[in-house]
Amino acid sequence: MQIAVHWGDLWAPVAMMILSVVLSRRTRRWRHKRQAAARWRSRTHWEWLPFMFGLVVTIAELARLLDVPDPGIAISDVVARALALTTVFMVVRTLFILFARGGRLLFRRREADSRS
């Protein structure tokens, strides 16, 4: 069963990838300005998530759009699934780091309020 893909279907993933690069450059500039990288030892890399999602969709759709033979489509599907799995792990890691930071910040405020 062949899935119909059009060139117009690629604008959203490519836009996500471009957005991710712009977002990464902005956050890097913000971190250097505020020296947040020194304060927060581990970075979340949340700004690269749209890039990864866009890359997965682009790889999956581009092979079908270029009418690659079946072995090529199978390889592109495997690569897209591996990148999708990597993206899921990045999301889980990012959420864990953000919740851990929020919990530390919340408990710090409660301790400061109870001391006053």
Side-chain angles (χ1 to χ4, degrees):
M1 181 175 105
Q2 197 67 299
I3 298 174
V5 179
H6 305 286
W7 282 104
D9 295 340
L10 287 178
W11 73 268
V14 171
M16 287 174 62
M17 292 166 55
I18 291 170
L19 170 76
S20 179
V21 171
V22 169
L23 188 61
S24 175
R25 295 197 43 89
R26 298 271 174 146
T27 56
R28 183 180 302 154
R29 188 175 302 140
W30 179 79
R31 281 188 186 121
H32 285 298
K33 203 181 283 188
R34 296 200 55 218
Q35 294 298 321
R39 188 175 53 202
W40 303 110
R41 294 278 182 217
S42 69
R43 295 170 51 182
T44 61
H45 301 291
W46 62 272
E47 64 269 9
W48 287 108
L49 292 177
F51 183 85
M52 293 296 287
F53 283 119
L55 188 63
V56 168
V57 173
T58 301
I59 288 174
E61 286 185 0
L62 199 58
R64 287 175 179 79
L65 186 63
L66 296 176
D67 201 27
V68 176
D70 287 339
I73 289 178
I75 291 171
S76 71
D77 284 345
V78 168
V79 170
R81 287 184 182 140
L83 286 173
L85 188 61
T86 304
T87 305
V88 168
F89 282 122
M90 285 177 65
V91 167
V92 169
R93 180 182 179 269
T94 299
L95 290 174
F96 177 76
I97 290 172
L98 290 176
F99 281 129
R101 286 181 188 169
R104 274 188 276 165
L105 186 63
L106 180 66
F107 288 126
R108 253 189 236 150
R109 286 186 180 167
R110 285 187 180 173
E111 287 175 4
D113 290 341
S114 64
R115 288 180 189 167
S116 315

